């Protein structure tokens, strides 16, 4: 497990608090400057630990360029997105991630401002992963694969975004284990079940 986790139960509190200030969706902008969260940074991007990780390892790669979301991405960002992907790949190859499998992708409809690439281990084992929405946002096509996003951008000059109906459908997908055919009745069932896939 990553070392710096805390505030496991405060995502909603955090959001509520920030909502009152009208700034909740800007949380990543302050996180990019938080030494507690920063994993690496350079002139192009900052890599942070997700403050409410949905797996044992969960990072966000955030460009310094003020790109609001995937909707604002065009062909001029291709090299940057490829670079973010490469940084993510290198991160997953670090010794502490040995024998782990990672997913890298963008949420089709992100909640937080500033484009961010999720780099997440596929255990999905975290106290912060509490809801069906959390589960489905990382285990369905709602998570747009980073490599495919780069390929589409290169090929078609734009990103294939999902319609809001399709996003809703992904969010409403019945719970299912991402590693086997198990169909849980509830989130607690699923959380208990995934323990058996942990090495
Ligand atoms: P998305 O749905 O793609 O916008 O995901 C936003 C991600 O940011 C989620 O995985 C949250 O756990 C994470 N997050 C929310 N607030 C913060 C924060 N203040 N610092 C770091 N990560 C955050
Ligand atoms: Zn299973």
């Amino acid at each position: 497990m990553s070392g710096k986790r805390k505030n496991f139960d405060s995502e909603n509190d955090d959001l509520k608090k920030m909502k009152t200030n009208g700034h909740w969706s800007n949380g990543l902008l302050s996180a990019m400057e938080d030494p507690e969260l920063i994993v690496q940074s350079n002139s192009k991007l900052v890599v942070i630990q997700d403050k409410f990780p949905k797996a044992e390892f969960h990072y966000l790669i955030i460009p310094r360029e003020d790109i609001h979301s995937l909707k604002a991405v065009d062909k001029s960002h291709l090299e940057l997105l490829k670079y973010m992907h490469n940084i993510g790949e290198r991160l997953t190859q670090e010794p502490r991630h040995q024998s782990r499998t990672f997913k890298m992708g963008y949420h089709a409809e992100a909640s937080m401002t500033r484009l961010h690439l999720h780099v997440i281990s596929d255990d999905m084992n975290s106290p912060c992963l509490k809801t069906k929405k959390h589960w489905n946002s990382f285990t369905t096509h709602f998570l747009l694969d980073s490599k495919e996003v780069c390929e589409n951008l290169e090929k078609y000059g734009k990103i294939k975004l999902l319609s809001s109906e399709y996003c809703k459908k992904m969010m409403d997908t019945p719970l299912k284990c991402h590693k086997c055919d198990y169909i849980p009745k509830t989130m607690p069932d699923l959380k208990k079940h995934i323990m058996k896939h942990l090495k």
Side-chain angles (χ1 to χ4, degrees):
M1 304 266 261
S2 51
K4 287 180 179 170
R5 285 211 215 144
K6 47 188 176 181
N7 300 335
F8 276 145
D9 297 315
S10 63
E11 186 169 10
N12 284 339
D13 293 350
D14 227 41
L15 289 177
K16 270 183 218 151
K17 216 187 304 162
M18 290 199 226
K19 262 178 190 160
T20 18
N21 297 332
H23 296 308
W24 68 271
S25 64
N26 289 330
L28 298 187
L29 303 183
S30 357
M32 285 172 80
E33 290 173 12
D34 181 348
E36 284 276 300
L37 296 176
I38 295 174
V39 176
Q40 74 180 85
S41 73
N42 62 33
S43 61
K44 292 205 177 307
L45 53 77
V46 180
V47 182
I48 61 166
Q49 302 213 41
D50 194 295
K51 195 170 173 186
F52 309 102
K54 306 302 186 294
E56 293 182 5
F57 296 96
H58 187 179
Y59 306 96
L60 302 175
I61 302 184
I62 312 170
R64 289 200 187 273
E65 189 179 335
D66 187 9
I67 305 171
H68 185 267
S69 70
L70 272 187
K71 282 187 192 148
V73 170
D74 62 34
K75 203 159 189 177
S76 70
H77 301 114
L78 178 61
E79 288 313 311
L80 176 62
L81 263 65
K82 279 187 181 171
Y83 180 61
M84 289 165 68
H85 182 87
N86 289 340
I87 289 283
E89 287 217 309
R90 257 186 265 163
L91 179 64
T92 64
Q93 287 155 11
E94 288 181 6
R96 68 182 183 285
H97 302 136
Q98 210 185 3
S99 77
R100 296 291 186 142
T101 305
F102 279 82
K103 288 187 178 192
M104 293 203 287
Y106 298 87
H107 277 157
E109 282 177 351
S111 53
M112 305 297 282
T113 294
R114 182 66 63 88
L115 183 72
H116 49 279
L117 172 61
H118 290 270
V119 179
I120 183 165
S121 55
D122 79 343
D123 50 84
M124 308 311 293
N125 177 37
S126 167
C128 292
L129 194 154
K130 294 174 181 167
T131 65
K132 181 174 169 181
K133 197 175 168 197
H134 289 157
W135 181 265
N136 283 338
S137 74
F138 289 102
T139 59
T140 68
H141 294 303
F142 188 83
L143 187 73
L144 302 175
D145 180 67
S146 167
K147 198 157 179 275
E148 284 175 21
V149 165
C150 291
E151 284 168 1
N152 279 327
L153 195 54
E154 187 146 32
K155 226 165 150 180
Y156 307 112
K158 58 180 182 183
I159 293 170
K160 277 191 200 160
L161 296 168
L162 304 182
S163 68
S164 48
E165 290 77 25
Y166 191 70
C167 288
K168 192 176 174 315
K169 200 173 146 196
M170 292 297 103
M171 285 300 124
D172 291 342
T173 304
L175 287 177
K176 183 190 171 305
C177 176
H178 61 321
K179 299 223 169 182
C180 76
D181 291 335
Y182 178 70
I183 311 269
K185 284 204 174 73
T186 61
M187 270 312 286
D189 286 347
L190 180 53
K191 287 177 72 73
K192 195 170 155 209
H193 167 83
I194 57 172
M195 301 311 284
K196 79 177 202 189
H197 294 297
L198 298 182
K199 294 207 177 87

